[in-house]
Amino acid sequence: MSATPIVPVRPAWREPLVWLVVGIPAATVVAGVFTWWIAAQRADSNVADDYYKRGLAINRSLERESRAKALGLRAELTLAGENDLRLRLTGGAALPPTVTVVLTHPVRAEQDRRLSLDRQADGDYRIVAPQVGAGNWDISIEAQDWRVAGRHLGLREGAVVRLAADGRVD
């Protein structure tokens, strides 16, 4: 009778195949937990909590823009000083005593600004406030029944931004 050689048994953790069978799924679970943690820590601020209500408000906004177009409204917005915002409106409408200028940052919602400008004796609108500043903005000039808007506009000190209700920007 021949003797069968005794092969030493290696522990399972020394076998490469065990590492493939156990290691790849384990690494996938760890990567998934890490990805979830990143997503939970850095929530996307561009997604609004009230997205449904904003969607319903789109039709109202389009009606206001159509009204501004029918009135032939044009706006000239100037950042006269570091915090001095001036607005001149022209068109076939009786202009209200106060208008709202909404400066929306294209990326960071926390930098959005909503300013109420009062009509001055010379007919222009003006506000001096620390929240006014130069930058690239989506600009909306609003009254109760009309709205003039422009996207990706550079508001710089001394420069005039011209908006028309028909969408033209000079």
Side-chain angles (χ1 to χ4, degrees), residues 1-20:
M1 201 165 213
S2 66
T4 311
I6 298 175
V7 179
V9 178
R10 294 188 337 179
W13 57 272
R14 289 200 177 255
E15 294 295 330
L17 189 58
V18 170
W19 286 108
L20 286 175

Side-chain angles (χ1 to χ4, degrees), residues 41-62:
Q41 293 297 316
R42 297 181 176 93
D44 189 3
S45 67
N46 291 335
V47 178
D49 291 335
D50 61 344
Y51 66 92
Y52 183 73
K53 288 181 182 177
R54 288 188 184 191
L56 293 175
I58 289 174
N59 287 341
R60 171 82 173 117
S61 179
L62 292 174

Side-chain angles (χ1 to χ4, degrees), residues 15-154:
E15 294 295 330
L17 189 58
V18 170
W19 286 108
L20 286 175
V21 170
V22 174
I24 291 175
T28 303
V29 168
V30 169
V33 169
F34 183 69
T35 302
W36 172 83
W37 180 78
I38 289 173
Q41 293 297 316
R42 297 181 176 93
D44 189 3
S45 67
N46 291 335
V47 178
D49 291 335
D50 61 344
Y51 66 92
Y52 183 73
K53 288 181 182 177
R54 288 188 184 191
L56 293 175
I58 289 174
N59 287 341
R60 171 82 173 117
S61 179
L62 292 174
E63 290 171 6
R64 292 170 65 202
E65 289 176 4
S66 296
R67 172 95 170 117
K69 188 175 181 180
L71 294 171
L73 289 174
R74 298 182 62 80
E76 292 182 356
L77 197 62
T78 308
L79 188 59
E82 186 175 323
N83 299 324
D84 186 4
L85 187 66
R86 297 178 187 201
L87 170 67
R88 172 171 289 158
L89 288 172
T90 57
L95 300 175
T98 302
V99 295
T100 302
V101 174
V102 180
L103 303 174
T104 307
H105 193 275
V107 178
R108 296 190 177 126
E110 66 273 5
Q111 292 185 4
D112 293 354
R113 296 173 172 101
R114 186 174 193 85
L115 309 167
S116 181
L117 280 70
D118 295 321
R119 192 166 190 186
Q120 306 297 308
D122 62 358
D124 291 349
Y125 296 85
R126 182 178 180 204
I127 187 171
V128 177
Q131 66 263 39
V132 179
N136 292 320
W137 304 97
D138 293 343
I139 299 174
S140 173
I141 302 163
E142 304 173 353
Q144 187 169 346
D145 61 341
W146 55 261
R147 176 177 182 252
V148 178
R151 297 179 49 88
H152 308 298
L153 303 171

